[in-house]
């Protein structure tokens, strides 16, 4: 007969065997999991290193292309705007570097820069609407028409445009009492500042969009006000291009708002004007405007291509 001691020893042996199996099994499993994790970590590290290497090569390629465009830009744009003149418009929040470089390329393209107009934030403030409207009505020159449904900034844009650009070759490069009065009044009111002689009316205009979005309440209305100015410049002159960095083509940006508006049919946009190649595209867009063609260029939403296609022939404008 099997006695109690035998049962006790058997039960103890069973539990010892079970415990040993658990220990051995967990150790084997732990080693297996650790090995798998090490393999995954090594693979992730290799992938990250490969991605960094690819990013480095891509950055070098982009920098090379930008250097190429920057060095050859003066030759690429030579004589494309011969005999024309351009006024530069700087909006609140736009970068100064882009407008400077575009201005230099305008000169390389054979055109004169009449001057620069910097739109001040005050012009866009809600509490200034009545004053801006009254000023536009008071300064409205003969030949300037306000549509029956014109808003405050439609009127202000039309009045400013009449002082800055013209389609008439006989008026281009000439400042008169009317243009001086408009720019003087808007400057005195703190709505704009000027450098150069923007009152010597240009044939073309470049508006540089804000590099930072108008994310505050009323930002969309500020974009609409600047679109009204760009549209008025295009209507009064031989063409207008609105240029900006890629952020300007994102949600809430001026270029994005313009591309979604009726103004896109007449006003060209370039959403890469912070790059050397994008500044060349801005000159090509101005040349297209001279032939009555508008387009949306760059890499952002709504762009039809990086640059006009086909590109206008060099040296045939003016």
């Amino acid at each position: 007969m099997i006695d109690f001691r035998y049962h006790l020893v058997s039960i103890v042996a069973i539990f010892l065997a079970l415990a040993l199996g658990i220990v051995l099994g967990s150790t084997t499993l732990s080693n297996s999991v650790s090995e798998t994790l090490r393999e995954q970590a090594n693979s992730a590290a290799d992938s990250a290193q490969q991605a960094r290497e690819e990013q480095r090569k891509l950055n070098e390629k982009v920098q090379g292309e930008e250097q190429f465009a920057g060095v050859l830009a003066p030759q690429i744009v030579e004589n494309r705007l011969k005999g024309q003149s351009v006024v530069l418009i700087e909006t609140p929040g736009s970068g100064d570097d882009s407008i400077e470089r575009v201005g230099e390329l305008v000169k390389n393209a054979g055109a004169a820069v009449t001057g620069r107009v910097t739109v001040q934030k005050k012009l866009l403030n809600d509490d200034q609407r009545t004053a801006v409207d009254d000023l536009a009505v008071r300064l409205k020159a003969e030949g300037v028409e306000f549509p029956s449904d014109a808003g405050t900034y439609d009127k202000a844009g039309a009045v400013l445009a009449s002082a800055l650009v013209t389609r008439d070759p006989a008026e281009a490069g000439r400042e008169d009492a009317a243009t001086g009065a408009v720019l003087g009044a808007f400057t005195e009111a703190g709505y704009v500042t000027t450098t150069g002689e923007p009152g010597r009316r240009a044939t073309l205009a470049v508006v540089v969009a804000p590099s930072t979005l108008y994310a505050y309440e009323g930002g969309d209305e500020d974009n609409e006000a600047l679109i009204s100015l760009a549209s008025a410049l295009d209507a009064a002159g031989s063409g207008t291009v609105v240029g900006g960095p890629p952020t300007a083509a994102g949600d809430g940006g001026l270029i994005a708002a313009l591309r979604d508006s009726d103004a896109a049919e007449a006003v060209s946009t370039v959403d890469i004007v912070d790059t050397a190649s994008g500044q060349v595209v801005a000159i090509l867009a101005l040349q297209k405007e001279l032939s009555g063609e508008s387009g949306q260029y760059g890499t952002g939403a709504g762009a039809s291509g990086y640059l006009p296609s086909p590109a206008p022939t060099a040296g045939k404008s003016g």
Side-chain angles (χ1 to χ4, degrees), residues 136-146 158-159 162-163 176 178-179 182 201:
V137 171
R138 176 167 62 84
L139 293 171
K140 177 177 173 292
E142 183 180 353
V144 176
E145 298 294 333
F146 294 156
V159 170
S162 70
D176 56 27
T179 62
V182 168
R201 283 173 285 194

Side-chain angles (χ1 to χ4, degrees), residues 55-289:
Q55 182 65 43
R56 182 187 64 79
K57 291 179 180 179
L58 180 60
N59 288 340
E60 290 179 351
K61 180 180 178 182
V62 170
Q63 290 171 4
E65 290 174 348
E66 278 298 288
Q67 183 181 12
F68 179 85
V71 170
L72 294 183
Q75 299 174 44
I76 295 171
V77 303
E78 187 176 8
N79 289 331
R80 288 181 180 273
L81 303 178
K82 186 177 180 180
Q84 304 297 321
S85 51
V86 180
V87 63
L88 305 174
I89 313 294
E90 189 175 7
T91 60
S94 62
D96 189 63
D97 289 346
S98 295
I99 200 169
E100 290 284 356
R101 292 195 292 264
V102 170
E104 287 303 313
L105 275 192
V106 164
K107 297 173 185 176
N108 293 140
V113 175
T114 58
R116 183 194 302 189
V117 176
T118 302
V119 177
Q120 300 299 310
K121 181 64 177 68
K122 182 180 179 181
L123 179 67
L124 307 177
N125 288 346
D126 291 343
D127 61 1
Q128 294 293 313
R129 282 181 177 268
T130 299
V132 172
D133 196 283
D134 291 344
L135 185 64
V137 171
R138 176 167 62 84
L139 293 171
K140 177 177 173 292
E142 183 180 353
V144 176
E145 298 294 333
F146 294 156
S148 58
D149 60 347
T152 294
Y153 293 105
D154 295 322
K155 299 174 187 176
V159 170
L160 277 170
S162 70
L164 296 173
V165 294
T166 182
R167 289 179 179 271
D168 186 350
E171 294 179 349
R174 297 175 55 189
E175 182 173 356
D176 56 27
T179 62
V182 168
L183 294 178
F186 273 83
T187 300
E188 184 177 355
Y191 296 144
V192 302
T193 58
T194 64
T195 56
E197 297 179 291
R200 296 171 64 88
R201 283 173 285 194
T203 55
L204 298 163
V206 172
V207 179
V208 178
S211 55
T212 54
L213 306 182
Y214 295 159
Y216 48 79
E217 184 177 354
D220 290 342
E221 294 178 356
D222 289 352
N223 280 336
E224 290 174 6
L226 295 173
I227 290 171
S228 293
L229 174 58
S231 298
L233 289 166
D234 186 81
S238 296
T240 294
V241 171
V242 176
T247 51
D251 291 342
L254 175 60
I255 289 178
L258 194 154
R259 287 174 176 174
D260 287 338
S261 72
D262 293 339
E265 297 180 4
V267 179
S268 295
T269 61
V270 179
D271 63 39
I272 45 172
V273 84
D274 58 330
T275 66
S277 58
Q279 291 143 24
V280 172
V281 174
I283 301 301
L284 299 181
L286 285 173
Q287 189 181 4
K288 277 286 192 181
E289 285 283 333

Side-chain angles (χ1 to χ4, degrees), residues 41-62:
N42 290 335
S43 177
D46 291 341
S47 296
Q49 179 60 33
Q50 183 179 357
R52 285 192 293 269
E53 183 64 18
E54 291 176 353
Q55 182 65 43
R56 182 187 64 79
K57 291 179 180 179
L58 180 60
N59 288 340
E60 290 179 351
K61 180 180 178 182
V62 170

